[in-house]
Amino acid sequence: MMYLWVALGSALGGAARHLVGLAGADLVGATFPWATIFINATGSFVIGLFAVISGTDSPYLIRTRTRVFVMVGICGGYTTFSAFSLQSFLLIREGHTFAAGANVILSMLLCLFSVWLGHAAGNALIRTRRMRAGRRRAG
């Protein structure tokens, strides 16, 4: 049954990736892969956030299938490492080595920052929830 959750999440993530990619190309053009960088950074934020709020120390009761649905399915279908790799390769092959390097560096830095930001947001949510629960018990 877990495979169905992954498949459904992947389908939703893939559809979202396609829509965001089209919107990004319309918005900023397709000369440089800004949409792919945005997709990977936002997907990194979501997986970082969900890793924390669905972890064993979290006060949120998130089922394993929901964790797998979001982190493996949606994030796996949404993020685009294979597209990133192809776009970087094509930039190099077309002689745009600076743009390829910028794509690699921006993608790595923004995605690592986004995972950190997602973790920070998840930890803030957990602290807030625990503080509220403590106030309810004390009041």
Side-chain angles (χ1 to χ4, degrees), residues 45-55 62 66-68 70-71 118:
F45 173 82
V46 170
I47 204 167
L49 172 70
F50 219 77
V52 172
I53 67 169
S54 66
I62 297 175
T66 304
R67 180 181 170 97
V68 170
V70 172
M71 292 176 68

Side-chain angles (χ1 to χ4, degrees), residues 47-92:
I47 204 167
L49 172 70
F50 219 77
V52 172
I53 67 169
S54 66
T56 56
D57 293 339
S58 174
Y60 297 97
L61 300 175
I62 297 175
R63 295 180 176 183
T64 300
R65 73 172 174 233
T66 304
R67 180 181 170 97
V68 170
F69 172 74
V70 172
M71 292 176 68
V72 178
I74 292 176
C75 290
Y78 178 69
T79 56
T80 58
F81 197 78
S82 57
F84 154 78
S85 300
L86 177 63
Q87 289 165 339
S88 297
F89 171 76
L90 292 175
L91 284 168
I92 291 168

Side-chain angles (χ1 to χ4, degrees), residues 11-35:
L12 293 173
R17 177 182 69 220
H18 182 64
L19 291 172
V20 171
L22 290 175
D26 285 346
L27 201 64
V28 295
T31 308
F32 188 79
W34 288 112

